[in-house]
Amino acid sequence: MKKEKKAVSNIVFAGVVIVLIIIAAIGFALYATKKSSTVTTTSISSLTVTQTSTTTSTVTQTTTQTVTQTTTVVRPITVNASGAFYDGHVITFLYTAQFMCTPNATVFFPNAVNQSKVAMGCEVGAGNISAFPKGAAPVFVLVPAFAGLSIFGVQSLGATPQGFPVFKYNGENYTIYTQCGAALTLTACPDHMSLIYSPAFTVVEQYLGIKNGVFGLPEGVLPTPAHDHLVTFTTNTSIPWYIVVVLVFNPNIFPNPITGQCQQIVPSNQTDPTQYCLNSISALEQAMQTYDSAVEAANANNPIWEALGKPGLDVVIPGITSPSQLFSATNSNMVLFFSDPDVYPYPI
């Protein structure tokens, strides 16, 4: 997390060995250690790199002079990848297929027919693990809800032009770099749903006095917010993963997507304000049960936090209240398909 910055990245994959080439205007950096510093970081998940090949041909002119012509062919290569957290460090997701939303949102919310149609049947608020493809495993999607409405990637709501959220605290703006920017932005992840329906979105909209939806969308339908990923194992084989949405209200435990580490921004009553940095499942389990003064301090003007009843916990997982439920319940009908090799996706 840092004050606002911009960055550009290129990725090249060779087999299962992944190298992320980062081209930064001012250099490569992680988190700032001083508020006054200005650095450039990168959090790009699916992008295009350029591959150049050269062919040589011989042309014989009528003067019998032989001329060698060199033609450069440039073609784009699209890479379907992003970062993720596993057991305290950063790994790679390699997406292999389009997302699935099953069963349709109307199964859980029969009155949301129009919303479901616009959101391609995808929803957050309910789920049925038995409806997912065989062998599906949970992927915990960490949403920086403490950054308020900017998580939806809309500049008029405070997001950066690249689609990253901005957390405002004590007169400072902190760009929250995530492994996936908000949907419909330059930093959105591949093979993700663009729009989602959620009753929680409706609650927030109504809290703000909005009765008919925003941006021309039905009530309760918004872009997939910016987020990070957390998994509990790695595999080189593509499998289905069902999404469990986690709302993070404590900025001190939201990890840097490049380092996987956390930095304190907001005062806390905890001895170690970053001890439950959300880069492992054990940290998530602890955060579910931790009340931290940083939450109230960080969310004092956050309509998402206010509309949801001002929860004091570090994280809220809608529909899941105990760590014992993390592997037996879900709160969405969304499934992604990817492998997650234990390979660091960025240059060292």
Side-chain angles (χ1 to χ4, degrees):
M1 283 172 261
K2 302 186 73 67
K3 295 181 183 180
E4 297 192 38
K5 305 167 278 293
K6 298 181 181 178
V8 180
S9 296
N10 289 328
I11 300 178
V12 178
F13 279 81
V16 295
V17 180
I18 301 118
V19 178
L20 173 60
I21 302 173
I22 298 185
I23 304 173
I26 308 177
F28 181 92
L30 304 179
Y31 274 8
T33 56
K34 298 180 179 179
K35 288 186 177 180
S36 60
S37 62
T38 300
V39 295
T40 301
T41 62
T42 298
S43 181
I44 299 291
S45 37
S46 177
L47 47 147
T48 299
V49 297
T50 299
Q51 184 184 64
T52 302
S53 60
T54 301
T55 59
T56 301
S57 61
T58 300
V59 179
T60 303
Q61 298 181 334
T62 56
T63 59
T64 71
Q65 179 183 13
T66 299
V67 178
T68 299
Q69 293 181 330
T70 299
T71 303
T72 300
V73 179
V74 178
R75 62 179 183 272
I77 300 174
T78 300
V79 180
N80 288 341
S82 74
F85 301 124
Y86 162 69
D87 196 26
H89 62 282
V90 183
I91 63 170
T92 301
F93 280 4
L94 299 176
Y95 300 98
T96 57
Q98 179 67 294
F99 65 86
M100 170 190 294
C101 292
T102 184
N104 190 280
T106 54
V107 171
F108 305 109
F109 309 105
N111 294 326
V113 175
N114 188 37
Q115 289 92 333
S116 177
K117 182 178 179 180
V118 172
M120 299 180 66
C122 301
E123 56 79 25
V124 172
N128 179 3
I129 291 179
S130 65
F132 298 144
K134 183 179 179 180
V139 53
F140 299 95
V141 169
L142 310 176
V143 179
F146 59 85
L149 300 177
S150 69
I151 61 175
F152 297 108
V154 179
Q155 291 187 58
S156 62
L157 297 180
T160 71
Q162 295 79 23
F164 294 118
V166 175
F167 172 57
K168 298 181 179 182
Y169 178 73
N170 198 26
E172 302 286 352
N173 290 346
Y174 297 87
T175 296
I176 309 302
Y177 291 102
T178 52
Q179 291 158 347
C180 293
L184 307 176
T185 71
L186 294 174
T187 55
C189 277
D191 297 324
H192 278 50
M193 50 295 299
S194 295
L195 299 171
I196 300 173
Y197 167 69
S198 176
F201 295 166
T202 299
V203 170
V204 174
E205 289 175 350
Q206 292 183 349
Y207 176 81
L208 293 170
I210 300 170
K211 304 298 183 181
N212 297 304
V214 294
F215 312 123
L217 297 170
E219 184 180 66
V221 176
L222 289 170
T224 297
H227 60 273
D228 286 346
H229 309 109
L230 173 65
V231 291
T232 59
F233 65 92
T234 62
T235 175
N236 292 326
T237 301
S238 178
I239 65 170
W241 302 78
Y242 63 87
I243 289 177
V244 179
V245 175
V246 179
L247 302 179
V248 182
F249 288 108
N250 185 349
N252 295 339
I253 63 171
F254 197 80
N256 181 306
I258 295 176
T259 67
Q261 303 306 305
C262 292
Q263 172 187 343
Q264 182 180 2
I265 296 178
V266 179
S268 167
N269 62 350
Q270 299 293 313
T271 303
D272 181 358
T274 64
Q275 64 179 326
Y276 300 135
C277 186
L278 295 172
N279 55 24
S280 69
I281 190 65
S282 60
L284 176 60
E285 292 171 343
Q286 293 297 321
M288 290 179 68
Q289 308 170 81
T290 300
Y291 290 88
D292 191 324
S293 62
V295 171
E296 183 175 359
N299 294 276
N301 299 306
N302 180 0
I304 296 176
W305 184 69
E306 293 172 344
L308 297 181
K310 300 182 178 181
L313 290 164
D314 280 349
V315 304
V316 172
I317 306 179
I320 298 176
T321 57
S322 169
S324 63
Q325 298 175 290
L326 286 176
F327 298 95
S328 61
T330 187
N331 56 19
S332 87
N333 70 343
M334 300 180 290
V335 179
L336 301 177
F337 297 86
F338 56 85
S339 61
D340 64 336
D342 193 353
V343 177
Y344 183 72
Y346 313 120
I348 298 175

